[in-house]
Amino acid sequence: MKTVPNRMQAAVYRAVDDVRTETVAVPEIGAGEVLVRLDTCGICGTDLKKIHTGSHSAPRVFGHEMAGTIAAVGEGVRGFAVGERVMAFHHIPCGVCFYCRKKTFAQCETYKKVGTTAGLGEAAGGGFAEYIRVMDWIVGDGVTPAGLIKIPDDIPFEQAAFIEPVNTCFKAVKLLALEPDDTVLVIGQGSIGIILAALAKQTGATVLTSDMYAERHAIAAKFGLDRPLDARGDVVAACKAATEGRGADVALVAVGADALIATAMAAIRPGGRVMLFASTQHGTAPFDPAAVCMDEKTLMGSYSASVAIQQEGIDLVFEGYRSGKLDFTQLISHRFGLEDAAEAVRLASNPVADSMKIVLKM
């Protein structure tokens, strides 16, 4: 096994809209912790929001959709060894607080702490770097599963890097408890929209997908999503036409655009549900309160991952790759080295027809 260097490359957030590739110290690990040499890290919309809004102090290193190889283990670590292939969840809840007992894990104070870091500034994931320090509550005790997950040899790092985002999508789909006779509209066919739609389709539901770009519908078709709607047309009318005039049973909004909430509410039937998945910016969005009261429509949300479905989501990613039915590497449109991280962030922030998931390769 190679000796761990003292210095590494990292894409450092320095100020609003300012990400620079720098040489920084490799993070040091303590007892119960693990150092991982990363291979792949996806760029997530939440990373971009933090970069563009200045919501977090600088300097720090973002990135949390990551997979790599253990480079060192701290004293007392059990169940993990140097050379093993792993991915790391950056959030893991305490399991005992009020919110954990209610299975609302993303509201747990321990969950809100970030347990992986590149070592520069406050912990922020750290995946936009060559090495990350994985803290003890993420590593776990080697007996009860926590947030450091082993990757089988036949699963590429690029597929494993989707475990965390797939969990977040799977959580939303599970909350909806879809039935085979349901019709689901998924608004937005970026990588997250396609994952949501593919998971919804696995329930047996009929899935309609809405996006402006034919190129994205072509990618979606690889996942068996064969009911595309042109978002530039009348999506509401199309949903009603597909459901004997009723409207969809469920609308999943995978785009952070408040104006689409009203579209989703109009596209569902009386008694239907709208799931907000990308509405992570505080603001005010208009909707018809009578649609909620008199039409009995439900407006709901889902945020971040759930440990309650962690293993089920992991199995989905691994078996989905082996069967070819959920090969999420097909969603990767662009790969950048760390030296070009600023360009990767720029493209991810300004998506075009042929851009989907953008990943950094170490």
Side-chain angles (χ1 to χ4, degrees), residues 38-226:
L38 293 181
D39 176 275
T40 301
C41 185
I43 298 177
C44 175
T46 58
D47 299 320
L48 300 175
K49 181 184 73 171
K50 294 166 187 173
I51 290 168
H52 299 319
T53 64
S55 58
H56 291 57
S57 62
R60 64 178 69 201
V61 179
F62 293 119
H64 58 269
E65 300 176 354
M66 51 207 176
T69 303
I70 294 177
V73 297
E75 181 182 352
V77 169
R78 294 193 296 169
F80 295 98
V82 171
E84 290 186 317
R85 306 167 76 245
V86 293
M87 67 75 59
F89 284 92
H90 59 312
H91 296 296
I92 287 292
C94 72
V96 296
C97 72
F98 172 86
Y99 289 109
C100 285
R101 293 197 303 272
K102 296 296 184 180
K103 298 191 181 300
T104 315
F105 302 108
Q107 308 309 319
C108 164
E109 288 304 315
T110 298
Y111 186 90
K112 292 178 181 180
K113 292 165 51 182
V114 181
T116 60
T117 180
L120 184 66
E122 293 188 36
F128 299 170
E130 291 182 271
Y131 289 87
I132 58 162
R133 168 189 164 212
V134 183
M135 298 179 205
D136 55 358
W137 77 92
I138 304 293
V139 175
D141 60 9
V143 179
T144 303
L148 191 61
I149 309 301
K150 293 182 183 181
I151 305 169
D153 289 340
D154 64 327
I155 305 299
F157 287 120
E158 290 185 351
Q159 176 80 358
F162 279 94
I163 287 174
E164 190 271 345
V166 165
N167 184 303
T168 68
C169 294
F170 192 39
K171 172 185 171 182
V173 172
K174 293 279 270 188
L175 283 170
L176 290 166
L178 298 173
E179 298 180 354
D181 64 347
D182 282 337
T183 296
V184 179
L185 167 66
V186 181
I187 299 176
Q189 288 296 278
S191 57
I192 287 295
I194 290 177
I195 293 171
L196 286 165
L199 295 177
K201 187 174 177 64
Q202 285 207 325
T203 69
T206 298
V207 179
L208 312 176
T209 56
S210 170
D211 201 274
M212 294 189 299
Y213 298 124
E215 292 88 342
R216 294 189 169 188
H217 285 305
I219 300 286
K222 296 179 180 180
F223 294 85
L225 301 167
D226 54 2

Side-chain angles (χ1 to χ4, degrees), residues 9-26:
Q9 278 198 315
V12 181
Y13 167 72
R14 286 289 175 183
V16 175
D17 293 332
D18 184 358
V19 174
R20 311 174 192 174
T21 301
E22 301 179 10
T23 300
V24 301
V26 171

